[in-house]
Each structure stands twice: as C-alpha cells, then as structure tokens.
Amino acid sequence: MRALTALLVGLLAPFTIASPSVKRVFAPGPYRAATNIYEIPPCGSLAHVGSKIHVLAANGTVIHVATAGAPTVGQFKSAVSRDLMDGWVAFAYFLNPGFSLISSFTATWEVPPLPETDHGQTIFLFNAVQNYSNTILQPVLQYGPSVAGGGSFWAVASFFLDGVNTFHTPLVRTSPGATLNGALILTGSSSSESIFNYTSQFTNIPGTTLNTSVPALLNVAAATLEAYNITALSDYPAGATVFSGINVEFASGNTKPDVAWRPVADTADGLGSTVDKDGAVDAQITVKY
C-alpha cells in the first residue's frame, strides 16, 4: 500500500522542467511549453476527434485544432533545486476504483486574503478530476501569473490539460472573502467510442464554464494547493483554506465505493493538509499555510 501511495503521489504531482532551451510557463498541473496554449471563447467547448482536439466557438465553428498530447507521468521536483517546494504542495485525493464513474465532484471554498509578500509567485487552489497520465480538468482559483494571464490579484478560470496542451477559459477577477463553488460534472459518455463528456465551472461565476470530451475516464479526484516561485512562507496567504461541502456522486446510483480522502503535504516547509470530515457527502479538507 505504501508503494502504491508513493506511485499515486508521483502521478498527481506536476512534471519536471524538461529542457531549459524551451520557454516554460505555469499552468495548474505541470510546467508547460509556451506553445500549445489555447483560450476557449465564451460558451465555447473542446471536442476530441481521433488524435486531434478541436476548440469550438459557441456556434460550433472550429477555431483551433491541436494534436492531442501523449500520456506522460509527472513527479515532484527535486528538493535540491528549490528553497520551497514547487508543484502540488498540499492536497488530499481520492482514487476511484473504476467500477463506478465519478459523475459529479463539487467543493466550496473562500478566496483567501492577498499574500503579505509578492515575489512574482503563482498560487493555485482547485478541485479536480484527472487520470494516471496527467489529463486533468479543474476549476481554478489563481494568484499571480499563469498561461491564462493574471497578476497580483485573485482570479478564476477552468482549465483542461493533457500531456502537451493547455486549454483555459478567460480569467475572471475575484476578491478575498468571495465564496467559490467549484463543480466537475460528467454530462455523458459513449462506451463504444470510449468518450467521456465533462463540464468544469464555478457555478456562481459566469464565464468559467469549460465543456470537453475526453477519450479517457477521469477517476482521481483531488482538492489541491499548488504553487510556484515561493521564496518565503509569507508568499502564501495567511491562515488556511477550507474546502467544504465536498460531494462526490457516482453514475451507478446506489452502488458507491467508500470514499477515503488521502492527505499529502509539504510539512518540511510548514504546510499542512488535513481531512476534517471523510466520505462522499459533505466532506471537508483543510489546507494550512
């Protein structure tokens, strides 16, 4: 079990920087090449068509065609290359055994205060569904810069990432103290074509909806603090972020696997992750800075 947990932590964590000759930018998940970044227009969507990903306008017109990325496995960056850990630094996750599709994963949290210090750091807070090859869908709260833009303020967007590409809705600014309702919904599937349709959004913030088809089941759920370029603990907000009202529903209806959230945190740097209430209904996870 310990070996399995270690493997899963590696899969859930971000990629290392592949090459210093390729410009890299931040997105929730891994470091990304500065190419293959696509903003989805309002009411637009994504569609996987064979080995391609089509970015669709609201009227269904194809406005971009990307080549789907090959599966890749991520890992934490080496401790010798950092002062404070980059990547998924505090989170809790649930591995769905696969016999019952996750049909809905929702969570509520509050936008934290602004960090006391600003050194160009990037902070992400989100709930997400993903698979073992780092295909991930997530409604994201962001402080600092990312592939979607940003700065010294909090903003939200939905992101979809595969092994190469990053797709995101436009950033929408928000303020400390605002309540966020992050929702990931399985809207349909085709077993004959192995296509799964998902929606990511903040249900209480217009302009954050991302609809996508995925040729793979997303069966790992997580509530996560992710960060880059942290130079001091004061680069984080003060206090803690509580992911509350966490609810996981399954396509099989009454057949529900036991949901046991597994906390992981960079305790060496003073960060914490605790499961205050376990289970599939009204669970709660706290990330302490």
Side-chain angles (χ1 to χ4, degrees):
M1 181 61 69
R2 184 173 299 175
L4 174 61
T5 299
L7 173 62
L8 288 170
V9 169
L11 292 169
L12 288 165
F15 302 110
T16 56
I17 297 178
S19 169
S21 63
V22 178
K23 183 180 179 181
R24 297 274 155 171
V25 289
F26 297 119
Y31 290 90
R32 313 297 288 181
T35 56
N36 305 323
I37 309 297
Y38 305 92
E39 182 174 296
I40 301 170
C43 300
S45 60
L46 300 176
H48 280 72
V49 181
S51 62
K52 304 296 183 180
I53 302 176
H54 292 183
V55 180
L56 307 177
N59 63 1
T61 302
V62 178
I63 56 177
H64 294 293
V65 177
T67 300
T72 52
V73 175
Q75 59 184 343
F76 281 121
K77 292 177 64 182
S78 170
V80 299
S81 65
R82 65 173 177 87
D83 294 321
L84 294 166
M85 180 178 282
D86 281 356
W88 286 37
V89 293
F91 60 98
Y93 70 97
F94 159 65
L95 169 64
N96 186 32
F99 57 79
S100 181
L101 303 182
I102 295 176
S103 61
S104 175
F105 172 31
T106 59
T108 297
W109 69 99
E110 187 176 287
V111 179
L114 297 176
E116 179 183 347
T117 54
D118 189 335
H119 296 111
Q121 72 270 31
T122 299
I123 299 169
F124 300 115
L125 288 158
F126 54 84
N127 59 321
V129 287
Q130 73 168 78
N131 61 17
Y132 302 120
S133 58
N134 277 318
T135 297
I136 186 168
L137 180 66
Q138 54 207 142
V140 178
L141 171 66
Q142 168 188 317
Y143 177 89
S146 81
V147 298
S152 301
F153 53 85
W154 291 107
V156 293
S158 285
F159 286 79
F160 174 76
L161 295 85
D162 65 8
V164 172
N165 303 290
T166 300
F167 304 89
H168 65 87
T169 60
L171 281 178
V172 179
R173 289 185 67 154
T174 187
S175 301
T179 298
L180 304 176
N181 300 321
L184 296 146
I185 307 296
L186 177 69
T187 58
S189 62
S190 171
S191 57
S192 61
E193 299 179 3
S194 297
I195 291 292
F196 302 88
N197 300 320
Y198 291 91
T199 293
S200 169
Q201 64 179 325
F202 288 100
T203 59
N204 57 337
I205 302 180
T208 61
T209 300
L210 191 164
N211 296 306
T212 183
S213 64
V214 184
L217 178 63
L218 304 180
N219 60 348
V220 180
T224 303
L225 162 67
E226 179 179 0
Y228 299 92
N229 288 337
I230 300 291
T231 60
L233 289 180
S234 58
D235 288 349
Y236 287 112
T241 292
V242 178
F243 292 91
S244 63
I246 296 173
N247 290 290
V248 183
E249 297 180 359
F250 301 88
S252 58
N254 293 330
T255 305
K256 295 183 178 181
D258 293 331
V259 173
W261 297 94
R262 304 180 184 183
V264 180
D266 180 20
T267 54
D269 288 333
L271 301 168
S273 174
T274 58
V275 178
D276 308 315
K277 182 182 178 183
D278 221 340
V281 179
D282 201 27
Q284 181 170 299
I285 295 164
T286 296
V287 171
K288 184 180 182 302
Y289 306 105

